Amino acid sequence: MVCLCPCHCTCLRHTLYKIEEPDHVCWDETHFGKMGSYYINRTFFFDVHPPLGKMLIGLSGLLTGYNGSFEFENPGVKYGDINYVGMRTFCAILGSLIVPLSYLTVFEFYNSVTAAFLTSLLIIFDTGFLTLSQYILLDPILIFFITIATYCLAKFDKIQDKPFTKWWWFWLTMTGVFLACAFSVKWVGLFVILLVGLKTVFDLWQLLGDLSLSKTILLHHFLARALCLIMTPALIYMGFFAVHFKVLAFSGSGDGFFSSAFQSTLIGNSLYKASMPQDLVYGSIITLKNQRPAGGLLHSHWHLYPEGSGAMQQQITAYTHKDENNKWIIKRFDRDPEKGDMQKPVEYVKNGDFIRLEHLVTRRNLHSHREPAPLTPRHQQVTGYGEDGIGDVNDIWKIEIIDGPDNVYIKTVRTTVRLIHYVTGCALHSHSKTLPKWGWEQLEVTCNPHIRDKKNLWNVEDHINERLPNSSFEVFAPSFLESFLESHAVMAQSNSGLKPKEGEVTSRPWQWPVNYKGQRFSGVNETDYRVYLLGNPIIWWSNLAAIGVFCTLAFVFAVMAQRGIEGTGKYEELKKKFLYSCTWFLIGWALHYFPFYLMGRVLYFHHYFPAMVYSNMLTGVLLDYALSGLHSYKLPYCNINMYMAGNAVIVAVIIQSFALFYPLSYGMHGELAENVNSTMSGLKWMESWEI
């Protein structure tokens, strides 16, 4: 194992080379760099991923002198004097650590330095891993935790014959710790949890067949695994969210995705330690919050629906950010509130009342009619209609408290209501569908004929009326558990609703193993500094072939075993190690790959890289087994020199393939690959590569 340190040092130098280039925001750095800034500034935001990776990016920036002032507005924006290299370096270091961890994992499973060394080379000289590790992204952090969790599992597997010893407990616990870390970076970490879960079930099944173990010992084995692999990761995962909520204490861009009660905990939010009228009265200025996870505020603006999207009246949307255009005046259905007479008693809004809602800025009423909604034709269109608050009968809505008695007052924040259209009987509705650019990519609002849909539920969030006494709303602040559960509901809702933006390059899972199409990180034109996320094709296609070869060999060996055909003692032992290790690597690859076929959300090429770690491990073991197997059979033409020569050829091919394609990672200049004078000329092996 003496080659471990040189491998890691080579990989670290390899990854940190030109780490400062390009000196502008690249691809998803615009998201994760910005989120690191939010942690430094303690400003609340929303993201579809759990918090650990972004907290670590923020911490690395803080420790290396970045002050959180850069906006990471768009890809291509120059960093200038901002210290961004520290965050890139942190991600690069974790990315480089994947190499020694993969080396050690293969060694623990297969006990071969050569197989471990070949695996490490397959990762070091893959242009895809190199590119992914050089930028401010979650992927190197995620893959690091997935790999170290797998390594801890391998170490635990190695000492299972020494149960309940100090090191047995240590490696079992560390497996659980890093499972929690992987899941806390992205929910893709669930796949390594499934891998460990399957391995645990397999181990317990083996123990169950050991008749020398008492029922008490079997119970202890089960409880130990439940403690270290279920309870400990769950507590750690919740702990990261506790830190997340504590650090992001100030109101920010993510407030609107969460409930009114949650927003009341954020310093600077209009609901934080808010004092506002408790009971709703006619003439009040209010905002209405949709109660689905990640629901928006009822919103309008001067823009009209375009031709072909229903009546060309004023747009009504749901918006997840605080805005003046979220404010509405609540009025009786048959008259406006009387102005100027402050002595007259106020009139409270009660369950079952018929009302109109007038948009404060544009003076148009909330309106619906029998026209199909633009994105959901089974629902009715909702518009802003009228002039100076004067419209027609289609502006009338009935306000209903869910399961509440008649004549009960509507209360700010606390009361959940439905708005039923007076003429057509449908309910005001909002969901996760986003309007096209003509609707500013805000959420569609419709009138839903299915009135019991949970997405028809709203509450009053802000309430302004000078004639009413204010009450404190601090008592509505949720507990940690309530905030934790709400954040997961919002994350799940938003994750499933992720769709590609206009012009965005996406991909499908079948394209990933064949390296069909990469992802632009920087630059498009000949004058640009171009970086393109694409795997080393020699390595990727070899990995795909290795999976096929292993499956074929496993089938052949199964047939041989069924027929009672066995090899010699030494070769049989080698075969068992080969089948055992490669089977688990294949399961790891499959668990991190095939679930993407079931996902409805938008997918990108980089989603394949966790699976790629396991296919590299499988390939390294398969290559070593093929050469070792020939040598073990003592074929006259395959002595130790041939074994060494075979490994030398493999190493040379890996390094030479990297020498051809390294500009993909370190930057391409000048003409594109289809031009003869390009430095990448002749290397566009697939038409789908955008190099």
Side-chain angles (χ1 to χ4, degrees), residues 580-633:
Y580 181 78
S581 57
C582 283
T583 296
W584 286 110
F585 295 150
L586 181 67
I587 292 171
W589 172 81
L591 287 173
H592 285 81
Y593 174 52
F594 288 114
F596 286 102
Y597 283 93
L598 306 176
M599 295 185 187
R601 55 154 289 173
V602 61
L603 298 173
Y604 303 99
F605 179 52
H606 70 92
H607 287 138
Y608 183 65
F609 281 81
M612 187 66 182
V613 173
Y614 293 99
S615 64
N616 280 324
M617 293 177 183
L618 188 150
T619 302
V621 172
L622 179 68
L623 289 172
D624 180 62
Y625 175 75
L627 295 173
S628 300
L630 291 174
H631 180 59
S632 297
Y633 267 131

Short mmCIF file of all heavy atoms in Angstrom, two decimals, residues 580-633:
data_model
loop_
_atom_site.label_atom_id
_atom_site.label_comp_id
_atom_site.label_asym_id
_atom_site.label_seq_id
_atom_site.Cartn_x
_atom_site.Cartn_y
_atom_site.Cartn_z
N TYR A 580 -17.27 -11.65 -5.00
CA TYR A 580 -17.82 -10.95 -3.84
C TYR A 580 -17.67 -9.44 -3.99
O TYR A 580 -18.63 -8.68 -3.84
CB TYR A 580 -17.11 -11.43 -2.57
CG TYR A 580 -17.61 -10.79 -1.30
CD1 TYR A 580 -18.80 -11.21 -0.71
CD2 TYR A 580 -16.88 -9.77 -0.68
CE1 TYR A 580 -19.25 -10.61 0.47
CE2 TYR A 580 -17.33 -9.18 0.49
CZ TYR A 580 -18.52 -9.61 1.05
OH TYR A 580 -18.98 -9.02 2.20
N SER A 581 -16.44 -8.99 -4.29
CA SER A 581 -16.18 -7.55 -4.37
C SER A 581 -16.91 -6.93 -5.55
O SER A 581 -17.59 -5.89 -5.41
CB SER A 581 -14.69 -7.27 -4.45
OG SER A 581 -14.11 -7.94 -5.55
N CYS A 582 -16.82 -7.55 -6.71
CA CYS A 582 -17.44 -6.96 -7.90
C CYS A 582 -18.97 -6.97 -7.82
O CYS A 582 -19.63 -6.08 -8.37
CB CYS A 582 -16.98 -7.69 -9.16
SG CYS A 582 -15.33 -7.22 -9.68
N THR A 583 -19.53 -7.95 -7.14
CA THR A 583 -20.98 -7.96 -6.97
C THR A 583 -21.45 -6.74 -6.20
O THR A 583 -22.42 -6.07 -6.58
CB THR A 583 -21.43 -9.25 -6.26
OG1 THR A 583 -21.11 -10.38 -7.09
CG2 THR A 583 -22.94 -9.24 -6.00
N TRP A 584 -20.74 -6.42 -5.11
CA TRP A 584 -21.13 -5.25 -4.33
C TRP A 584 -20.85 -3.95 -5.08
O TRP A 584 -21.62 -2.98 -4.97
CB TRP A 584 -20.45 -5.25 -2.96
CG TRP A 584 -21.08 -6.27 -2.06
CD1 TRP A 584 -20.54 -7.45 -1.61
CD2 TRP A 584 -22.42 -6.24 -1.55
NE1 TRP A 584 -21.44 -8.14 -0.85
CE2 TRP A 584 -22.61 -7.42 -0.79
CE3 TRP A 584 -23.47 -5.34 -1.65
CZ2 TRP A 584 -23.80 -7.71 -0.14
CZ3 TRP A 584 -24.67 -5.62 -1.00
CH2 TRP A 584 -24.83 -6.79 -0.26
N PHE A 585 -19.78 -3.91 -5.86
CA PHE A 585 -19.52 -2.71 -6.67
C PHE A 585 -20.60 -2.56 -7.75
O PHE A 585 -21.03 -1.44 -8.05
CB PHE A 585 -18.14 -2.78 -7.32
CG PHE A 585 -17.00 -2.75 -6.33
CD1 PHE A 585 -15.79 -3.41 -6.60
CD2 PHE A 585 -17.12 -2.09 -5.12
CE1 PHE A 585 -14.75 -3.38 -5.70
CE2 PHE A 585 -16.08 -2.06 -4.20
CZ PHE A 585 -14.89 -2.71 -4.50
N LEU A 586 -21.03 -3.67 -8.32
CA LEU A 586 -22.10 -3.62 -9.33
C LEU A 586 -23.41 -3.15 -8.70
O LEU A 586 -24.13 -2.33 -9.29
CB LEU A 586 -22.29 -5.00 -9.96
CG LEU A 586 -23.37 -5.07 -11.06
CD1 LEU A 586 -22.94 -4.27 -12.29
CD2 LEU A 586 -23.64 -6.53 -11.45
N ILE A 587 -23.70 -3.64 -7.51
CA ILE A 587 -24.91 -3.19 -6.81
C ILE A 587 -24.83 -1.69 -6.52
O ILE A 587 -25.80 -0.95 -6.68
CB ILE A 587 -25.12 -4.00 -5.52
CG1 ILE A 587 -25.47 -5.46 -5.86
CG2 ILE A 587 -26.23 -3.39 -4.66
CD1 ILE A 587 -25.49 -6.38 -4.65
N GLY A 588 -23.65 -1.24 -6.06
CA GLY A 588 -23.44 0.19 -5.81
C GLY A 588 -23.67 1.02 -7.06
O GLY A 588 -24.33 2.07 -7.02
N TRP A 589 -23.12 0.55 -8.19
CA TRP A 589 -23.33 1.25 -9.46
C TRP A 589 -24.81 1.27 -9.84
O TRP A 589 -25.35 2.33 -10.21
CB TRP A 589 -22.51 0.55 -10.56
CG TRP A 589 -22.80 1.06 -11.94
CD1 TRP A 589 -22.29 2.19 -12.52
CD2 TRP A 589 -23.68 0.47 -12.92
NE1 TRP A 589 -22.79 2.34 -13.80
CE2 TRP A 589 -23.65 1.30 -14.06
CE3 TRP A 589 -24.46 -0.68 -12.94
CZ2 TRP A 589 -24.38 1.01 -15.22
CZ3 TRP A 589 -25.20 -0.97 -14.08
CH2 TRP A 589 -25.16 -0.13 -15.20
N ALA A 590 -25.48 0.13 -9.76
CA ALA A 590 -26.88 0.04 -10.16
C ALA A 590 -27.77 0.92 -9.27
O ALA A 590 -28.69 1.59 -9.77
CB ALA A 590 -27.34 -1.42 -10.09
N LEU A 591 -27.52 0.94 -7.96
CA LEU A 591 -28.34 1.74 -7.06
C LEU A 591 -28.17 3.23 -7.31
O LEU A 591 -29.11 4.02 -7.07
CB LEU A 591 -27.97 1.43 -5.60
CG LEU A 591 -28.45 0.08 -5.05
CD1 LEU A 591 -27.87 -0.16 -3.67
CD2 LEU A 591 -29.97 0.02 -5.01
N HIS A 592 -26.99 3.63 -7.78
CA HIS A 592 -26.75 5.05 -8.04
C HIS A 592 -27.08 5.45 -9.47
O HIS A 592 -26.93 6.63 -9.83
CB HIS A 592 -25.29 5.40 -7.73
CG HIS A 592 -24.98 5.48 -6.27
ND1 HIS A 592 -24.74 4.37 -5.50
CD2 HIS A 592 -24.91 6.54 -5.44
CE1 HIS A 592 -24.50 4.74 -4.25
NE2 HIS A 592 -24.61 6.06 -4.19
N TYR A 593 -27.52 4.50 -10.28
CA TYR A 593 -27.81 4.80 -11.69
C TYR A 593 -29.28 4.58 -12.06
O TYR A 593 -29.97 5.50 -12.50
CB TYR A 593 -26.90 3.96 -12.58
CG TYR A 593 -27.21 4.08 -14.06
CD1 TYR A 593 -27.29 5.33 -14.68
CD2 TYR A 593 -27.42 2.95 -14.85
CE1 TYR A 593 -27.58 5.45 -16.03
CE2 TYR A 593 -27.71 3.06 -16.20
CZ TYR A 593 -27.78 4.31 -16.78
OH TYR A 593 -28.08 4.43 -18.12
N PHE A 594 -29.78 3.38 -11.87
CA PHE A 594 -31.11 3.03 -12.38
C PHE A 594 -32.26 3.83 -11.78
O PHE A 594 -33.25 4.09 -12.47
CB PHE A 594 -31.35 1.53 -12.24
CG PHE A 594 -30.55 0.71 -13.21
CD1 PHE A 594 -29.56 -0.15 -12.77
CD2 PHE A 594 -30.77 0.82 -14.58
CE1 PHE A 594 -28.80 -0.89 -13.66
CE2 PHE A 594 -30.02 0.07 -15.48
CZ PHE A 594 -29.03 -0.78 -15.03
N PRO A 595 -32.21 4.28 -10.50
CA PRO A 595 -33.33 5.08 -9.98
C PRO A 595 -33.61 6.36 -10.78
O PRO A 595 -34.74 6.86 -10.75
CB PRO A 595 -32.89 5.41 -8.55
CG PRO A 595 -32.02 4.26 -8.16
CD PRO A 595 -31.26 3.92 -9.42
N PHE A 596 -32.61 6.87 -11.50
CA PHE A 596 -32.84 8.09 -12.27
C PHE A 596 -33.84 7.88 -13.40
O PHE A 596 -34.47 8.84 -13.87
CB PHE A 596 -31.52 8.63 -12.82
CG PHE A 596 -30.66 9.26 -11.77
CD1 PHE A 596 -29.57 8.59 -11.23
CD2 PHE A 596 -30.94 10.53 -11.29
CE1 PHE A 596 -28.78 9.15 -10.25
CE2 PHE A 596 -30.16 11.12 -10.30
CZ PHE A 596 -29.08 10.43 -9.78
N TYR A 597 -34.01 6.64 -13.84
CA TYR A 597 -35.01 6.37 -14.88
C TYR A 597 -36.42 6.59 -14.36
O TYR A 597 -37.35 6.78 -15.15
CB TYR A 597 -34.88 4.92 -15.37
CG TYR A 597 -33.73 4.70 -16.33
CD1 TYR A 597 -32.48 4.28 -15.85
CD2 TYR A 597 -33.89 4.91 -17.69
CE1 TYR A 597 -31.42 4.07 -16.73
CE2 TYR A 597 -32.83 4.71 -18.57
CZ TYR A 597 -31.60 4.28 -18.09
OH TYR A 597 -30.55 4.09 -18.96
N LEU A 598 -36.59 6.56 -13.04
CA LEU A 598 -37.93 6.70 -12.45
C LEU A 598 -38.24 8.15 -12.08
O LEU A 598 -39.36 8.45 -11.67
CB LEU A 598 -38.03 5.83 -11.19
CG LEU A 598 -37.70 4.34 -11.37
CD1 LEU A 598 -37.75 3.64 -10.02
CD2 LEU A 598 -38.64 3.69 -12.36
N MET A 599 -37.27 9.04 -12.24
CA MET A 599 -37.45 10.42 -11.78
C MET A 599 -38.07 11.28 -12.87
O MET A 599 -37.66 11.23 -14.03
CB MET A 599 -36.10 11.01 -11.35
CG MET A 599 -35.50 10.34 -10.15
SD MET A 599 -33.99 11.17 -9.61
CE MET A 599 -33.42 10.04 -8.34
N GLY A 600 -39.04 12.11 -12.47
CA GLY A 600 -39.68 13.00 -13.41
C GLY A 600 -39.03 14.36 -13.50
O GLY A 600 -39.33 15.13 -14.40
N ARG A 601 -38.13 14.67 -12.57
CA ARG A 601 -37.48 15.98 -12.55
C ARG A 601 -36.43 16.09 -13.65
O ARG A 601 -36.04 15.10 -14.27
CB ARG A 601 -36.82 16.23 -11.19
CG ARG A 601 -35.83 15.17 -10.76
CD ARG A 601 -34.78 15.73 -9.81
NE ARG A 601 -33.87 16.62 -10.50
CZ ARG A 601 -32.94 17.36 -9.88
NH1 ARG A 601 -32.81 17.31 -8.58
NH2 ARG A 601 -32.12 18.13 -10.59
N VAL A 602 -35.93 17.31 -13.86
CA VAL A 602 -34.89 17.54 -14.86
C VAL A 602 -33.59 16.85 -14.41
O VAL A 602 -33.26 16.83 -13.22
CB VAL A 602 -34.67 19.05 -15.07
CG1 VAL A 602 -34.22 19.74 -13.80
CG2 VAL A 602 -33.68 19.31 -16.20
N LEU A 603 -32.87 16.26 -15.37
CA LEU A 603 -31.64 15.52 -15.07
C LEU A 603 -30.47 16.06 -15.87
O LEU A 603 -30.64 16.58 -16.98
CB LEU A 603 -31.84 14.03 -15.39
CG LEU A 603 -32.92 13.30 -14.58
CD1 LEU A 603 -33.13 11.90 -15.11
CD2 LEU A 603 -32.56 13.26 -13.10
N TYR A 604 -29.28 15.93 -15.30
CA TYR A 604 -28.05 16.42 -15.94
C TYR A 604 -26.99 15.32 -15.92
O TYR A 604 -27.03 14.39 -15.11
CB TYR A 604 -27.52 17.66 -15.21
CG TYR A 604 -28.51 18.79 -15.14
CD1 TYR A 604 -29.27 19.01 -13.99
CD2 TYR A 604 -28.71 19.65 -16.21
CE1 TYR A 604 -30.19 20.04 -13.90
CE2 TYR A 604 -29.62 20.70 -16.15
CZ TYR A 604 -30.35 20.88 -14.99
OH TYR A 604 -31.27 21.90 -14.92
N PHE A 605 -25.99 15.51 -16.77
CA PHE A 605 -24.91 14.53 -16.92
C PHE A 605 -24.19 14.26 -15.60
O PHE A 605 -23.80 13.13 -15.31
CB PHE A 605 -23.94 15.07 -17.98
CG PHE A 605 -22.75 14.20 -18.25
CD1 PHE A 605 -22.90 12.85 -18.56
CD2 PHE A 605 -21.46 14.72 -18.23
CE1 PHE A 605 -21.80 12.06 -18.82
CE2 PHE A 605 -20.37 13.94 -18.50
CZ PHE A 605 -20.53 12.60 -18.79
N HIS A 606 -24.02 15.29 -14.78
CA HIS A 606 -23.23 15.12 -13.55
C HIS A 606 -23.89 14.20 -12.55
O HIS A 606 -23.25 13.74 -11.59
CB HIS A 606 -22.93 16.48 -12.91
CG HIS A 606 -24.14 17.16 -12.33
ND1 HIS A 606 -24.51 17.01 -11.02
CD2 HIS A 606 -25.05 17.99 -12.87
CE1 HIS A 606 -25.59 17.71 -10.78
NE2 HIS A 606 -25.94 18.32 -11.89
N HIS A 607 -25.18 13.89 -12.72
CA HIS A 607 -25.85 12.97 -11.80
C HIS A 607 -25.28 11.56 -11.86
O HIS A 607 -25.52 10.76 -10.95
CB HIS A 607 -27.35 12.92 -12.13
CG HIS A 607 -28.09 14.15 -11.73
ND1 HIS A 607 -29.06 14.74 -12.52
CD2 HIS A 607 -28.01 14.93 -10.62
CE1 HIS A 607 -29.54 15.81 -11.90
NE2 HIS A 607 -28.92 15.94 -10.75
N TYR A 608 -24.52 11.23 -12.92
CA TYR A 608 -24.01 9.87 -13.08
C TYR A 608 -22.72 9.63 -12.29
O TYR A 608 -22.33 8.48 -12.08
CB TYR A 608 -23.75 9.60 -14.57
CG TYR A 608 -23.28 8.19 -14.87
CD1 TYR A 608 -24.11 7.09 -14.64
CD2 TYR A 608 -22.00 7.94 -15.36
CE1 TYR A 608 -23.69 5.80 -14.91
CE2 TYR A 608 -21.57 6.65 -15.64
CZ TYR A 608 -22.41 5.58 -15.41
OH TYR A 608 -21.99 4.30 -15.68
N PHE A 609 -22.05 10.68 -11.84
CA PHE A 609 -20.70 10.49 -11.30
C PHE A 609 -20.62 9.67 -10.02
O PHE A 609 -19.63 8.94 -9.83
CB PHE A 609 -20.02 11.86 -11.15
CG PHE A 609 -19.49 12.37 -12.45
CD1 PHE A 609 -20.32 13.00 -13.37
CD2 PHE A 609 -18.17 12.18 -12.81
CE1 PHE A 609 -19.85 13.46 -14.59
CE2 PHE A 609 -17.68 12.62 -14.04
CZ PHE A 609 -18.52 13.26 -14.93
N PRO A 610 -21.58 9.71 -9.10
CA PRO A 610 -21.50 8.77 -7.97
C PRO A 610 -21.49 7.31 -8.43
O PRO A 610 -20.74 6.48 -7.91
CB PRO A 610 -22.75 9.10 -7.15
CG PRO A 610 -23.02 10.54 -7.45
CD PRO A 610 -22.66 10.70 -8.89
N ALA A 611 -22.33 6.98 -9.43
CA ALA A 611 -22.33 5.60 -9.97
C ALA A 611 -20.99 5.29 -10.62
O ALA A 611 -20.51 4.15 -10.56
CB ALA A 611 -23.47 5.45 -10.99
N MET A 612 -20.38 6.31 -11.21
CA MET A 612 -19.11 6.11 -11.92
C MET A 612 -18.00 5.66 -10.96
O MET A 612 -17.09 4.91 -11.36
CB MET A 612 -18.72 7.43 -12.61
CG MET A 612 -17.54 7.36 -13.51
SD MET A 612 -17.86 6.32 -14.94
CE MET A 612 -16.25 6.43 -15.74
N VAL A 613 -18.05 6.10 -9.72
CA VAL A 613 -17.04 5.66 -8.73
C VAL A 613 -17.07 4.14 -8.61
O VAL A 613 -16.02 3.48 -8.63
CB VAL A 613 -17.31 6.31 -7.36
CG1 VAL A 613 -16.38 5.73 -6.29
CG2 VAL A 613 -17.12 7.82 -7.44
N TYR A 614 -18.25 3.57 -8.49
CA TYR A 614 -18.38 2.12 -8.32
C TYR A 614 -17.98 1.37 -9.59
O TYR A 614 -17.38 0.29 -9.52
CB TYR A 614 -19.80 1.76 -7.90
CG TYR A 614 -20.16 2.27 -6.53
CD1 TYR A 614 -20.89 3.45 -6.37
CD2 TYR A 614 -19.75 1.60 -5.38
CE1 TYR A 614 -21.20 3.93 -5.11
CE2 TYR A 614 -20.06 2.07 -4.12
CZ TYR A 614 -20.78 3.24 -3.99
OH TYR A 614 -21.08 3.72 -2.74
N SER A 615 -18.31 1.93 -10.76
CA SER A 615 -17.91 1.24 -12.00
C SER A 615 -16.40 1.28 -12.17
O SER A 615 -15.80 0.33 -12.70
CB SER A 615 -18.62 1.84 -13.21
OG SER A 615 -18.25 3.18 -13.42
N ASN A 616 -15.73 2.33 -11.69
CA ASN A 616 -14.27 2.37 -11.71
C ASN A 616 -13.68 1.28 -10.81
O ASN A 616 -12.69 0.62 -11.17
CB ASN A 616 -13.76 3.74 -11.25
CG ASN A 616 -13.81 4.78 -12.35
OD1 ASN A 616 -13.58 4.47 -13.51
ND2 ASN A 616 -14.13 6.01 -11.99
N MET A 617 -14.29 1.11 -9.64
CA MET A 617 -13.81 0.06 -8.73
C MET A 617 -13.97 -1.32 -9.37
O MET A 617 -13.06 -2.16 -9.30
CB MET A 617 -14.60 0.12 -7.41
CG MET A 617 -14.35 1.36 -6.58
SD MET A 617 -15.39 1.37 -5.10
CE MET A 617 -14.94 2.95 -4.36
N LEU A 618 -15.11 -1.54 -9.99
CA LEU A 618 -15.36 -2.82 -10.63
C LEU A 618 -14.35 -3.06 -11.76
O LEU A 618 -13.80 -4.17 -11.89
CB LEU A 618 -16.79 -2.85 -11.17
CG LEU A 618 -17.32 -4.18 -11.72
CD1 LEU A 618 -18.82 -4.26 -11.53
CD2 LEU A 618 -16.99 -4.38 -13.19
N THR A 619 -14.08 -2.03 -12.55
CA THR A 619 -13.14 -2.18 -13.67
C THR A 619 -11.74 -2.48 -13.17
O THR A 619 -11.03 -3.34 -13.72
CB THR A 619 -13.13 -0.90 -14.53
OG1 THR A 619 -14.45 -0.65 -15.00
CG2 THR A 619 -12.19 -1.04 -15.71
N GLY A 620 -11.30 -1.77 -12.10
CA GLY A 620 -9.97 -2.02 -11.55
C GLY A 620 -9.81 -3.46 -11.09
O GLY A 620 -8.79 -4.11 -11.36
N VAL A 621 -10.82 -3.99 -10.40
CA VAL A 621 -10.76 -5.37 -9.93
C VAL A 621 -10.80 -6.35 -11.11
O VAL A 621 -10.04 -7.33 -11.15
CB VAL A 621 -11.93 -5.65 -8.96
CG1 VAL A 621 -12.00 -7.14 -8.61
CG2 VAL A 621 -11.77 -4.82 -7.68
N LEU A 622 -11.65 -6.08 -12.09
CA LEU A 622 -11.78 -6.98 -13.24
C LEU A 622 -10.47 -7.07 -14.03
O LEU A 622 -10.04 -8.16 -14.43
CB LEU A 622 -12.91 -6.50 -14.15
CG LEU A 622 -13.15 -7.34 -15.41
CD1 LEU A 622 -13.68 -8.72 -15.04
CD2 LEU A 622 -14.10 -6.62 -16.36
N LEU A 623 -9.82 -5.92 -14.25
CA LEU A 623 -8.56 -5.92 -15.00
C LEU A 623 -7.49 -6.74 -14.27
O LEU A 623 -6.77 -7.54 -14.88
CB LEU A 623 -8.08 -4.49 -15.21
CG LEU A 623 -8.89 -3.63 -16.20
CD1 LEU A 623 -8.43 -2.18 -16.15
CD2 LEU A 623 -8.77 -4.19 -17.62
N ASP A 624 -7.40 -6.50 -12.96
CA ASP A 624 -6.40 -7.25 -12.19
C ASP A 624 -6.74 -8.74 -12.15
O ASP A 624 -5.85 -9.59 -12.26
CB ASP A 624 -6.34 -6.69 -10.76
CG ASP A 624 -5.32 -7.42 -9.92
OD1 ASP A 624 -4.12 -7.37 -10.26
OD2 ASP A 624 -5.71 -8.07 -8.93
N TYR A 625 -8.02 -9.07 -12.03
CA TYR A 625 -8.43 -10.47 -11.99
C TYR A 625 -8.12 -11.18 -13.31
O TYR A 625 -7.68 -12.33 -13.32
CB TYR A 625 -9.93 -10.56 -11.70
CG TYR A 625 -10.46 -11.97 -11.76
CD1 TYR A 625 -10.21 -12.88 -10.74
CD2 TYR A 625 -11.22 -12.40 -12.85
CE1 TYR A 625 -10.70 -14.17 -10.79
CE2 TYR A 625 -11.71 -13.69 -12.92
CZ TYR A 625 -11.44 -14.58 -11.88
OH TYR A 625 -11.92 -15.87 -11.95
N ALA A 626 -8.35 -10.47 -14.42
CA ALA A 626 -8.09 -11.09 -15.72
C ALA A 626 -6.62 -11.46 -15.86
O ALA A 626 -6.28 -12.58 -16.27
CB ALA A 626 -8.51 -10.13 -16.84
N LEU A 627 -5.73 -10.54 -15.47
CA LEU A 627 -4.29 -10.82 -15.58
C LEU A 627 -3.84 -11.81 -14.51
O LEU A 627 -3.06 -12.74 -14.79
CB LEU A 627 -3.50 -9.52 -15.47
CG LEU A 627 -3.73 -8.51 -16.62
CD1 LEU A 627 -3.03 -7.20 -16.32
CD2 LEU A 627 -3.21 -9.08 -17.94
N SER A 628 -4.34 -11.65 -13.29
CA SER A 628 -3.96 -12.58 -12.21
C SER A 628 -4.50 -13.97 -12.49
O SER A 628 -3.85 -14.98 -12.18
CB SER A 628 -4.52 -12.08 -10.87
OG SER A 628 -4.03 -10.81 -10.56
N GLY A 629 -5.71 -14.06 -13.07
CA GLY A 629 -6.31 -15.35 -13.36
C GLY A 629 -5.50 -16.14 -14.36
O GLY A 629 -5.27 -17.34 -14.19
N LEU A 630 -5.02 -15.45 -15.39
CA LEU A 630 -4.19 -16.13 -16.39
C LEU A 630 -2.90 -16.63 -15.75
O LEU A 630 -2.44 -17.74 -16.01
CB LEU A 630 -3.88 -15.19 -17.55
CG LEU A 630 -5.07 -14.81 -18.45
CD1 LEU A 630 -4.65 -13.75 -19.46
CD2 LEU A 630 -5.60 -16.04 -19.17
N HIS A 631 -2.31 -15.80 -14.89
CA HIS A 631 -1.08 -16.19 -14.22
C HIS A 631 -1.32 -17.35 -13.25
O HIS A 631 -0.50 -18.27 -13.13
CB HIS A 631 -0.51 -14.98 -13.47
CG HIS A 631 0.76 -15.28 -12.74
ND1 HIS A 631 1.89 -15.74 -13.37
CD2 HIS A 631 1.06 -15.19 -11.42
CE1 HIS A 631 2.85 -15.92 -12.47
NE2 HIS A 631 2.37 -15.59 -11.28
N SER A 632 -2.47 -17.35 -12.58
CA SER A 632 -2.78 -18.43 -11.63
C SER A 632 -2.97 -19.76 -12.32
O SER A 632 -2.70 -20.82 -11.75
CB SER A 632 -4.05 -18.08 -10.85
OG SER A 632 -3.84 -16.90 -10.09
N TYR A 633 -3.47 -19.72 -13.56
CA TYR A 633 -3.62 -20.96 -14.32
C TYR A 633 -2.29 -21.52 -14.80
O TYR A 633 -2.22 -22.61 -15.35
CB TYR A 633 -4.52 -20.71 -15.54
CG TYR A 633 -5.97 -21.01 -15.28
CD1 TYR A 633 -6.95 -20.08 -15.64
CD2 TYR A 633 -6.35 -22.21 -14.70
CE1 TYR A 633 -8.29 -20.34 -15.41
CE2 TYR A 633 -7.68 -22.48 -14.47
CZ TYR A 633 -8.65 -21.55 -14.82
OH TYR A 633 -9.97 -21.82 -14.59
#
